[in-house]
Amino acid sequence: GQNIDQPTEMTATEGAIVQINCTYQTSGFNGLFWYQQHAGEAPTFLSYNVLDGLEEKGRFSSFLSRSKGYSYLLLKELQMKDSASYLCAVNYGNNRLAFGKGNQVVVIP
Amino acid sequence: DADVTQTPRNRITKTGKRIMLECSQTKGHDRMYWYRQDPGLGLRLIYYSFDVKDINKGEISDGYSVSRQAQAKFSLSLESAIPNQTALYFCATSGGPGHNEQFFGPGTRLTVL
């Protein structure tokens, strides 16, 4: 089976930086995705890491360490619209994704 | 226009009824997927298809069946719905090898009474 672990919820202040962690144990690894999901809506793609290191894309950065089975998503300059669930997903082979339960981020003024 | 569409968006049905959820895409992708999402459990893969003649079970396929009528259409059926199939169902698509990102439809909220 596939095991993806994320913390369930965190609260942060507008303008701050928040780091969302994800650890995984999977039968295969062909890359790790981060998705954002607002309540009742479809997940939308944020980032993709297949090699170790940091990928930066505007206010969002994602880091991967394959040897540690670990990734994090960094959200900078938090805005109210960033209040959402952030899903970590691992491609464990043949483009099948195993998802974590999601980390609910609540941004407060 | 949305690239991945799902119908219906909401459905309430009774135990034992047959239900079909439909998914269409205009992205020209070969690969299509069905997931369900439950509070506290995250997204779980039900079935996936890599082309019209290819159907594969995911981690929770029991009680479900699928049909890939064309490259653009992938339907999910519940032959005899039961209350624990109440969930939010998402269809997703992706391109071929090397094109890994999955694009999700808006979801179907299904309630089985």
Side-chain angles (χ1 to χ4, degrees):
Chain A
Q2 324 302 329
N3 191 36
I4 318 291
D5 283 323
Q6 300 181 243
T8 55
E9 185 169 327
M10 55 177 58
T11 300
T13 306
E14 196 173 11
I17 299 173
V18 68
Q19 178 173 314
I20 303 167
N21 297 319
C22 172
T23 57
Y24 64 89
Q25 290 178 304
T26 54
S27 55
F29 182 84
N30 285 330
L32 186 144
F33 293 83
W34 285 96
Y35 282 85
Q36 182 191 59
Q37 186 179 27
H38 288 99
E41 297 182 8
T44 55
F45 171 78
L46 289 177
S47 68
Y48 173 62
N49 295 68
V50 65
L51 300 176
D52 290 352
L54 187 68
E55 295 278 344
E56 297 189 78
K57 189 186 288 187
R59 294 190 299 114
F60 297 88
S61 302
S62 56
F63 171 84
L64 175 67
S65 169
R66 288 171 297 170
S67 63
K68 295 182 179 178
Y70 169 70
S71 173
Y72 68 73
L73 179 70
L74 200 65
L75 285 63
K76 304 172 192 172
E77 301 170 13
L78 272 178
Q79 302 175 8
M80 297 300 291
K81 67 179 182 180
D82 296 330
S83 290
S85 184
Y86 292 85
L87 313 179
C88 172
V90 172
N91 179 345
Y92 60 96
N94 263 341
N95 224 27
R96 295 168 297 173
L97 297 185
F99 283 83
K101 296 176 182 179
N103 184 321
Q104 183 69 40
V105 172
V106 177
V107 181
I108 57 176
Chain B
D1 287 342
D3 295 318
V4 185
T5 57
Q6 292 183 232
T7 56
R9 293 294 313 278
N10 289 281
R11 181 71 183 268
I12 299 174
T13 190
K14 294 182 179 179
T15 298
K17 295 291 187 182
R18 184 177 188 274
I19 298 296
M20 179 180 286
L21 309 183
E22 300 190 2
C23 176
S24 295
Q25 53 112 348
T26 58
K27 299 185 79 67
H29 286 166
D30 287 326
R31 302 181 176 197
M32 298 187 74
Y33 310 79
W34 275 104
Y35 294 90
R36 65 178 280 177
Q37 187 173 37
D38 300 272
L41 290 180
L43 283 154
R44 292 181 291 166
L45 183 63
I46 306 172
Y47 270 96
Y48 61 102
S49 168
F50 285 172
D51 64 41
V52 174
K53 297 179 182 178
D54 177 76
I55 299 290
N56 303 281
K57 292 183 177 181
E59 60 178 300
I60 53 161
S61 58
D62 288 349
Y64 302 95
S65 61
V66 290
S67 173
R68 185 80 185 266
Q69 302 95 322
Q71 187 206 35
K73 295 185 182 295
F74 192 35
S75 300
L76 176 72
S77 293
L78 287 67
E79 298 301 326
S80 179
I82 56 177
N84 77 2
Q85 291 178 313
T86 293
L88 186 56
Y89 289 85
F90 287 103
C91 173
T93 74
S94 70
H99 300 272
N100 291 294
E101 178 189 348
Q102 291 189 14
F103 297 85
F104 286 81
T108 295
R109 187 167 296 281
L110 177 67
T111 302
V112 184
L113 301 176

